[in-house]
Amino acid sequence: MTFGEMIQANTVPELIKATSGIAWLLFMVFQLLLVSCFPLPPSFIHNQTFDRSLLPDYVDFVSPIFLISMALEFYKARKLENNTSIISLPIFRFPDVLTSVSLGLIQQLFHLLFIIKSFIFIPYLYLWDRYGRDGPLSFDENVPGIIAWIACFLLLDFGYYWYHRFGHEVNVGWVSHVAHHSSEDYNLSTALRQGAIQYTAAAIFYLPLAMIFPPILFNFHFHFNRIYQFFIHTQLVDRLPHPIEFIFNTPSHHRVHHGSNKQYLDKNYGGTLIIFDRIFGTFEQEQEKVVYGLTSNIDSWSVGWANLHYWVEMWNISQGLKGLHKLRVLWQHPGWAPQTTPKKTSTTREKYKTLLSKTKIAYVLVNFVLAYSAFKNTFRFESYLGDSESVALSLFVVSTLVGIGGVMDSRPWIVPYETIRYLTVFFAAISLLMIGPTVRENGVLGVVCSVVLSADLVYSSLSGRVLSHFNPIRVDQNKKKRA
């Protein structure tokens, strides 16, 4: 079949999906070879253009604004609903917000320590240094700054559109992005709900920009795109004036994107702009009430299950295939399975709920504060930390947040899990304080580890009393109605 025949038969999208899936697998191999086998050019070290301080993480800078905005949104939602209970608000639910923020912490931990650095910025810097800086397409000092700024803004958003579309229409992309859509609520905290390895495939769509734009300009627009999208995750902003709605991605457009309604699936992929959706036929106007979440929800507050459940689903689907055909599941459309019909959603389905006593809320909040403190200290004292200390603090953060999800889900394994976690934290911290070379040489880290350890152990001394409240009781609205 010729390319023209493919266009007439409308099979080009399927060809693109299959090719994208294979390209992603090949690109992962390329990334590993690049990071592990090729020496960095001398300019990575000696040229101030690549000084890490000149490629800041703007998301970290504006995180206080995120928190203030979430507080204002919560205050406005409470005022509108005239409801004083955080648990019963229809827009904000305590366990959902905590899960979203926890997923955001894990993503930042993975991305800042490994993924964004290894899969985006190292390849980008490498290509810019070798081919882009003096290349024919390079925007050098002779190009007016405003033209370079606008061009990078447009092309990065164009790359984001296709990266985002790939993340929805090909399983190997969806598996890293699905966590973001796993919430049945929609508020500013939903923007923080991200997959741990979400940006592993983004470099495929961003690296061509290394032939044109210097890393500093790319870094700014890369983070600006992410920051802008935080503020469109809200139900409290109605449609904006038509010119804005026509050009930019707005809260109304993005609500459609998060809908599981049939007509809203795979729509409105834009980051900052909506014009690419209009051009490529993926735009949908907000009309009927949006049902948020997945077509088949995960029914859990677990950060682990939010990240892993679709891997399990793909594995189960692959068991119905033979030999190398099992790999087909990687580049098929999400929800695909041999000889199955598409899943349907209902506008009346009940949201997942669990009973949370005051003791549970206190327990998860204390542990969340400890995890957040360890998360911040991982980066605050990064220059003092060795590999063992970084891994230890990261494992502490992740294991604590997994435990929080188990507590809110009232899982039967949570008591032995928390017991093992406390013992592991104790012995790991003691080992770091006694034999960790970085700890011995830097008293600051010793204080950090001691504070984290002491706070966790002090609260864990109450665990016998606290864990006794973790009865596996759930609210199943459908069962209650049938009863």
Side-chain angles (χ1 to χ4, degrees):
M1 181 179 290
T2 65
F3 189 73
E5 291 172 339
M6 289 181 180
I7 294 177
Q8 293 179 357
N10 198 27
T11 59
V12 173
E14 285 68 25
L15 178 64
I16 292 174
K17 293 172 189 176
T19 306
S20 299
I22 297 172
W24 185 89
L25 295 175
L26 294 175
F27 185 73
M28 294 303 102
V29 176
F30 164 75
Q31 294 284 7
L32 294 175
L33 290 174
L34 179 64
V35 174
S36 60
C37 300
F38 289 90
L40 298 180
S43 56
F44 276 33
I45 300 174
H46 302 294
N47 191 322
Q48 64 176 2
T49 304
F50 301 113
D51 187 335
R52 184 173 178 179
S53 64
L54 297 178
L55 298 177
D57 178 13
Y58 295 103
V59 173
D60 188 53
F61 290 166
V62 302
S63 56
I65 299 177
F66 288 172
L67 296 177
I68 293 173
S69 301
M70 289 167 59
L72 291 174
E73 185 187 34
F74 172 69
Y75 171 77
K76 181 66 174 179
R78 274 185 54 166
K79 189 174 181 180
L80 289 175
E81 300 295 335
N82 193 26
N83 193 320
T84 59
S85 171
I86 187 172
I87 304 299
S88 62
L89 282 175
I91 296 178
F92 282 89
R93 293 185 299 160
F94 172 75
D96 181 83
V97 171
L98 198 62
T99 302
S100 294
V101 177
S102 297
L103 283 165
L105 293 184
I106 292 177
Q107 188 222 33
Q108 284 292 91
L109 201 62
F110 274 70
H111 281 203
L112 294 180
L113 291 180
F114 177 68
I115 292 177
I116 283 184
K117 174 183 176 182
S118 300
F119 284 80
I120 296 181
F121 285 110
I122 287 181
Y124 193 97
L125 295 174
Y126 183 90
L127 292 173
W128 168 258
D129 187 79
R130 289 292 179 90
Y131 308 108
R133 184 195 302 275
D134 300 317
L137 300 177
S138 175
F139 274 44
D140 56 22
E141 62 273 8
N142 296 323
V143 178
I146 186 63
I147 295 178
W149 195 96
I150 294 175
C152 188
F153 168 77
L154 292 174
L155 290 177
L156 186 138
D157 205 72
F158 178 75
Y160 177 84
Y161 169 86
W162 287 107
Y163 154 64
H164 198 184
R165 186 168 179 175
F166 168 80
H168 275 261
E169 299 186 8
V170 183
N171 272 332
V172 76
W174 177 240
V175 73
S176 65
H177 183 58
V178 63
H180 180 60
H181 287 264
S182 61
S183 175
E184 297 179 79
D185 297 334
Y186 189 75
N187 50 64
L188 290 177
S189 74
T190 309
L192 306 180
R193 179 182 286 245
Q194 303 287 339
I197 59 171
Q198 180 160 311
Y199 281 93
T200 51
I204 301 176
F205 304 91
Y206 289 152
L207 284 184
L209 300 181
M211 303 298 174
I212 308 174
F213 304 107
I216 295 176
L217 187 60
F218 168 80
N219 179 69
F220 173 81
H221 284 289
F222 174 78
H223 288 100
F224 174 80
N225 191 284
R226 298 174 64 196
I227 292 169
Y228 176 89
Q229 291 186 60
F230 171 84
F231 296 100
I232 59 178
H233 287 80
T234 181
Q235 298 183 60
L236 300 186
V237 177
D238 204 349
R239 291 184 184 177
L240 300 174
H242 180 71
I244 297 177
E245 292 280 332
F246 186 82
I247 299 173
F248 294 98
N249 193 12
T250 64
S252 175
H253 297 330
H254 207 60
R255 287 193 290 267
V256 168
H257 177 71
H258 274 259
S260 61
N261 314 54
K262 185 177 180 181
Q263 70 271 33
Y264 292 161
L265 295 177
D266 299 333
K267 299 295 182 180
N268 297 3
Y269 294 117
T272 306
L273 304 172
I274 202 68
I275 55 176
F276 297 118
D277 286 283
R278 296 182 184 277
I279 293 172
F280 296 108
T282 54
F283 175 74
E284 183 68 30
Q285 191 77 40
E286 182 181 26
Q287 295 178 345
E288 73 172 42
K289 182 179 179 181
V290 181
V291 179
Y292 299 105
L294 305 172
T295 55
S296 180
N297 286 314
I298 62 175
D299 291 340
S300 174
W301 308 121
S302 170
V303 293
W305 189 238
N307 277 295
L308 298 175
H309 78 277
Y310 201 72
W311 288 102
V312 175
E313 185 171 336
M314 285 200 303
W315 170 262
N316 292 334
I317 293 173
S318 71
Q319 297 310 295
L321 302 171
K322 296 181 180 181
L324 294 178
H325 287 288
K326 293 180 181 294
L327 297 177
R328 287 177 57 197
V329 70
L330 293 175
W331 55 78
Q332 291 293 341
H333 193 283
W336 172 88
Q339 298 179 349
T340 59
T341 55
K343 298 176 182 178
K344 297 181 180 181
T345 60
S346 169
T347 56
T348 60
R349 61 180 178 178
E350 297 288 348
K351 292 183 178 181
Y352 175 71
K353 297 179 182 179
T354 54
L355 293 177
L356 293 181
S357 65
K358 292 181 179 179
T359 307
K360 279 188 178 183
I361 293 175
Y363 184 84
V364 299
L365 281 178
V366 169
N367 276 275
F368 178 80
V369 170
L370 294 173
Y372 182 77
S373 299
F375 167 82
K376 295 298 290 185
N377 288 328
T378 301
F379 300 102
R380 182 178 301 171
F381 300 106
E382 184 179 4
S383 60
Y384 296 101
L385 291 170
D387 292 339
S388 60
E389 290 92 345
S390 295
V391 171
L393 285 175
S394 300
L395 288 175
F396 172 80
V397 173
V398 174
S399 63
T400 301
L401 297 178
V402 169
I404 287 174
V407 169
M408 294 193 296
D409 281 336
S410 297
R411 300 300 183 189
W413 48 261
I414 190 59
V415 174
Y417 175 87
E418 289 292 88
T419 302
I420 294 172
R421 186 174 69 86
Y422 286 129
L423 291 174
T424 303
V425 168
F426 175 78
F427 288 113
I430 291 298
S431 299
L432 287 174
L433 291 173
M434 293 179 63
I435 66 175
T438 305
V439 176
R440 286 204 307 267
E441 297 169 5
N442 300 280
V444 174
L445 182 60
V447 173
V448 173
C449 291
S450 298
V451 169
V452 171
L453 171 65
S454 300
D456 208 16
L457 290 179
V458 166
Y459 199 76
S460 69
S461 65
L462 303 175
S463 62
R465 177 183 175 186
V466 173
L467 292 176
S468 65
H469 291 265
F470 293 167
N471 299 318
I473 302 175
R474 296 189 182 186
V475 175
D476 189 326
Q477 297 291 340
N478 294 326
K479 290 182 178 179
K480 288 179 66 176
K481 289 180 179 179
R482 286 197 296 268

